[in-house]
Amino acid sequence: MSRTNRLFELISVLRARRRPVTALDLARELGISLRSIYRDIETLRSLGAPVEGQAGIGYSLGPGFFLPEFAFSPDELDALTLGLAWVQQRADPALAQGSESALAKIISAQKNGPATKDGPPALAAASVSQRVDPPQAASLRDAIHRQRKVAISYEDAHGSLSDRIIWPIAIVYFDDVRVLAAWCEQRSAFRHFRVDRLQVKAISDERYPGRRQSIMKQWQQQDRDWRSFLPVSGTATS
């Protein structure tokens, strides 16, 4: 996890707590060292975040905190435009609509935006493959965000069907296939499922235990081929 993502995660943890949380608890929850916690706290404070408290007592995030305004360079805006255009073409309808509105907000937020704001983008995405997200992708994304157990029926590469209870943690996007990473209760291990081969039978009201970030860290440590969210080969089955 990059330091930027870690800072956002730290903000999320502090914002969710009503009472001060110790640096030790933060370190355990985020899976990092105490030294990193202290350094990240000081970084957030230097950026204007109202982080209150001190070592040995606990930390909390004061009210009214918002991220400072930022601007994108032309290259950064081109990268966002290209990536979001790909999402509009290939993702499920809800995610595609989200990418369109996100790009509109990003461009309109630029005080001195580049020519892209008043004209067509300099880059465009053109996909050779016509594959788009299967309809169950949106339900799986929702389950991932809410950390919900999911009952699925899965057909493997040999055509064998099985029913499983899984803890979905991430969807990996390849050019022609989507792969769901999850903890499988039946196998008591992490497994990878092609999204187009599974059917969502039910999304439970029960949250799976632990934090998704910690589970993902275990997943990456146990399966080196997926450490960077990309497999060694182009095939993926459970």
Side-chain angles (χ1 to χ4, degrees):
M1 179 172 53
S2 69
R3 189 165 187 235
T4 299
N5 289 339
R6 197 173 74 220
L7 290 173
F8 276 109
E9 184 69 17
L10 178 56
I11 289 173
S12 298
V13 172
L14 290 172
R15 181 175 284 159
R17 297 296 184 90
R18 295 183 178 181
R19 297 181 179 180
V21 55
T22 67
L24 182 59
D25 286 340
L26 288 171
R28 289 172 176 169
E29 191 160 355
L30 298 176
I32 59 178
S33 67
L34 273 173
R35 181 179 179 182
S36 295
I37 288 293
Y38 293 137
R39 184 169 62 245
D40 289 350
I41 290 291
E42 292 307 314
T43 298
L44 289 177
R45 284 172 168 169
S46 68
L47 292 173
V51 179
E52 302 168 352
Q54 57 185 321
I57 298 177
Y59 298 96
S60 62
L61 189 65
F65 174 66
F66 59 91
L67 294 176
E69 184 178 344
F70 56 90
F72 295 107
S73 70
D75 284 343
E76 290 171 336
L77 196 54
D78 277 348
L80 288 167
T81 301
L82 186 61
L84 290 172
W86 187 96
V87 173
Q88 289 177 39
Q89 293 179 14
R90 306 291 296 282
D92 63 80
L95 198 58
Q97 183 177 359
S99 68
E100 183 177 1
S101 61
L103 181 59
K105 290 178 181 179
I106 289 169
I107 294 176
S108 64
Q110 306 305 294
K111 283 187 174 180
N112 299 304
T116 308
K117 182 174 181 179
D118 301 315
L123 304 176
S127 175
V128 176
S129 173
Q130 297 302 310
R131 293 197 180 187
V132 297
D133 283 357
Q136 58 269 31
S139 297
L140 292 170
R141 285 195 295 107
D142 177 65
I144 290 171
H145 289 311
R146 296 191 298 124
Q147 287 192 206
R148 292 298 190 268
K149 294 185 178 183
V150 180
I152 66 168
S153 177
Y154 188 69
E155 180 179 356
D156 66 18
H158 305 291
S160 299
L161 293 173
S162 62
D163 293 329
R164 312 190 188 196
I165 302 295
I166 61 171
W167 308 354
I169 56 173
I171 299 177
V172 184
Y173 277 67
F174 297 95
D175 287 337
D176 294 322
V177 70
R178 312 292 181 256
V179 177
L180 175 71
W183 175 264
C184 177
E185 291 190 353
Q186 178 180 328
R187 302 290 179 83
S188 296
F190 291 107
R191 288 291 185 265
H192 306 114
F193 305 92
R194 279 184 49 158
V195 175
D196 58 330
R197 291 180 181 165
L198 69 81
Q199 294 296 324
V200 175
K201 299 177 67 176
I203 297 178
S204 173
D205 290 333
E206 181 183 0
R207 286 173 59 95
Y208 53 76
R211 285 181 56 83
R212 188 172 68 91
Q213 180 186 347
S214 299
I215 297 173
M216 287 185 67
K217 185 176 180 180
Q218 296 175 32
W219 165 55
Q220 291 177 302
Q221 289 174 341
Q222 292 182 24
D223 197 330
R224 299 190 180 190
D225 289 349
W226 291 78
R227 181 162 296 178
S228 61
F229 301 101
L230 295 174
V232 172
S233 65
T235 60
T237 58
S238 77

